[in-house]
């Protein structure tokens, strides 16, 4: 299914991925920097504007993309322009780094929810000189107007639509990592680690093929998703037995967005299997304490209400896990006047929940009385079939934490329960007893499957970290600064990201005097906290 260049595919091949065929009508190329806006602003010299215009890709005319509906592009552009106003960190990056074009010559592959907010990140990377290709990291999270808007803007080759099958999802990932000249990327923006996984598994399979001539066998695993990965790698080896090996050698590094992806990277780093440097964006304070807490506090109730129109007030909600994501979710349910319970394995997090006024329980203690279940642990096998069978009629079961294995969807599908689709990403599952439960987004991230994810302002904080991490990796590609290890964004840059967002909220910092700074042993301009400080 994977081709080295979409331009060489027939129309029937492009349609075979299963999405609405994308329009490939001709369109004059536009500059990655938006030449007309730059001209009006006077922020860039004329020669620089001409350079941007000549560097622009003609994505739409090339046909090297796959989205649901190009007629949504104008809607997408309007929404992107609204989001830009709410994303001061990214807009500041464009202003600060635009003239220098730090990504000149860089190929960036992104695997991250293809939302309006991600569109602003994509266009920031492109405006800083990158050649960008993109896919989503979740089969339900793409906003189709955002994907179309990016393609129409000629800033990235996008392969994403809402409601992909697993086979389509991995096809999109493979298309995004393969440039038209049949080579790969220099940098990865990852969310959950799927591109990083694909590259590492590809390298391992190519080594095995070189030694034994044995191709990967999708039938060797029962995991539906890993079957797709093996199929992609098998097809790749048949075309070029060194594709992933060559790409791994040219990759400068990856910046990772999520807890799960960071965990994967840490395991690879600890075992010496990591093939390139990695920056942990997730644990930047301006990501984990903002996106994870405040973003989920906003998007959990949004997803619940869009999916079910349920009145949250007075209902009993159980938040499974009280990490940063769980804290935001519990705050949201409490603010909506739900009676909120928390489950936890960590005594520190459990004590925090108690001190915030939440009852800490085991799932088994409350499973039969809860109206709204929300998993937020980052682990697997949290709500199992036996729990779902004990739930009250029309209990809502949802996940905001990790892929699709916090909830035992496989067990539910094999249980004999009848699946009744109510609307996209909202399903009733009726048991033989007559009771039914409402499952959101098939156990995947409900805030993106049933709503639009986190709001622009909080994503500006996360994505400014991503942009800075990518600049850090690319500009140090020849310095030896980064080894094949996992690194955290420096405190100075973390504070910079926060500072870039204060003006939008009309916040005014107090200046530290020289004497005060000396008294507590820091510089007047920061960093203001030691690395050990727990915000």
């Amino acid at each position: 299914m994977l081709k080295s260049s979409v331009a060489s595919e027939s129309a029937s091949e492009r349609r075979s991925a299963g999405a609405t065929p994308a329009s490939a009508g001709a369109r004059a190329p536009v500059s990655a920097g938006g030449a007309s806006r730059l001209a009006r602003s006077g922020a860039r010299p004329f020669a620089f504007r001409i350079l941007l215009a000549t560097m622009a890709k003609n994505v739409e005319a090339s046909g090297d993309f796959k989205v649901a509906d190009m007629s949504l592009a104008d809607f997408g552009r309007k929404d992107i322009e609204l989001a830009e106003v709410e994303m001061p960190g990214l807009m500041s990056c464009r202003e600060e780094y635009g003239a220098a074009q730090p990504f000149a010559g860089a190929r960036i592959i992104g695997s991250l929810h293809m939302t309006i907010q991600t569109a602003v990140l994509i266009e920031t990377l492109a405006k800083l000189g990158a050649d960008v290709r993109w896919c989503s990291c979740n089969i339900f999270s793409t906003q189709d107007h955002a994907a179309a808007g990016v393609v129409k803007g000629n800033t990235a080759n996008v392969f994403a639509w809402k409601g992909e099958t697993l086979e389509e999802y991995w096809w999109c990932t493979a298309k995004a990592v393969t440039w038209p000249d049949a080579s790969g990327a220099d940098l990865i923006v990852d969310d959950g680690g799927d591109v990083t996984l694909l590259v590492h598994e590809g390298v391992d399979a190519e080594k095995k093929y070189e030694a034994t001539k044995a191709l990967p066998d999708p039938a060797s695993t029962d995991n539906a998703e890993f079957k797709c990965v093996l199929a992609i790698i098998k097809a790749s080896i048949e075309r070029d037995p060194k594709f992933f090996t060559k790409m791994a050698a040219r990759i400068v590094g990856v910046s990772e967005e999520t807890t799960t992806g960071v965990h994967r990277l840490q395991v690879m780093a600890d075992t010496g299997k990591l093939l390139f440097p990695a920056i942990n964006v997730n644990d930047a304070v301006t990501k984990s304490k903002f996106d994870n807490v405040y973003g989920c506090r906003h998007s959990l109730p949004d997803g619940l209400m869009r999916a079910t129109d349920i009145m949250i007030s007075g209902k009993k909600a159980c938040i499974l896990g009280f990490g940063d994501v769980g804290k935001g979710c519990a705050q949201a349910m409490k603010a909506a006047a739900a009676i909120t319970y928390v489950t936890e394995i960590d005594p520190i997090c459990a004590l925090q929940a108690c001190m915030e006024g939440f009852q800490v329980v085991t799932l088994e203690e409350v499973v039969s009385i809860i109206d709204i279940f929300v998993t937020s642990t980052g682990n697997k096998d949290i709500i199992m079939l036996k729990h779902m069978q004990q739930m009250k009629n029309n209990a809502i079961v949802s996940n905001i934490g990790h892929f699709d294995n916090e909830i035992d969807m496989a067990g539910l599908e094999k249980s004999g329960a009848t699946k009744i689709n109510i609307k996209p990403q909202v399903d009733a599952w009726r048991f033989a007893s007559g009771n039914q439960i409402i499952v959101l987004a098939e156990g995947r991230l409900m805030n993106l499957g049933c709503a639009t994810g986190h709001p622009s302002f909080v994503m500006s904080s996360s994505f400014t970290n991503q942009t800075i991490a990518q600049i850090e990796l690319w500009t140090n590609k020849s310095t030896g600064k980064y080894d094949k290890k996992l690194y955290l964004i420096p405190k100075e840059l973390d504070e910079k990201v926060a500072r870039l967002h204060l003006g939008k909220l009309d916040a005014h910092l107090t200046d530290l005097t020289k004497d005060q700074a000396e008294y507590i042993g820091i510089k007047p301009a920061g960093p203001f906290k030691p690395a050990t400080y727990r915000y």
Side-chain angles (χ1 to χ4, degrees), residues 384-403:
M384 303 304 290
L385 175 62
K386 65 180 181 180
H387 299 127
M388 292 183 268
Q389 291 171 329
Q390 299 175 56
M391 291 176 182
K392 65 194 299 186
N393 190 51
N394 272 18
I396 296 168
V397 182
S398 65
N399 168 49
I400 198 171
H402 172 63
F403 295 146

Side-chain angles (χ1 to χ4, degrees), residues 6 11 14 21-27 58-65 70 151:
V6 178
R14 287 199 297 272
S23 168
R27 173 178 167 83
N58 200 342
V59 177
E60 187 181 7
S62 75
D64 189 10
F65 66 92
M70 282 302 294
V151 169

Side-chain angles (χ1 to χ4, degrees), residues 4 47 108 118 154 170 213 245 257 272 327 375 431 490 498:
S4 63
I108 298 178
T118 301
N154 290 310
W170 283 103
K213 298 304 176 186
T245 301
E257 179 80 1
K327 286 177 172 67
T375 58
F431 296 107

Side-chain angles (χ1 to χ4, degrees), residues 40-63:
R40 288 196 301 270
S41 71
R44 303 285 184 263
F46 178 77
F48 180 74
R49 299 198 303 271
I50 295 299
L51 173 64
L52 285 179
T54 58
M55 289 174 62
K57 299 194 290 186
N58 200 342
V59 177
E60 187 181 7
S62 75

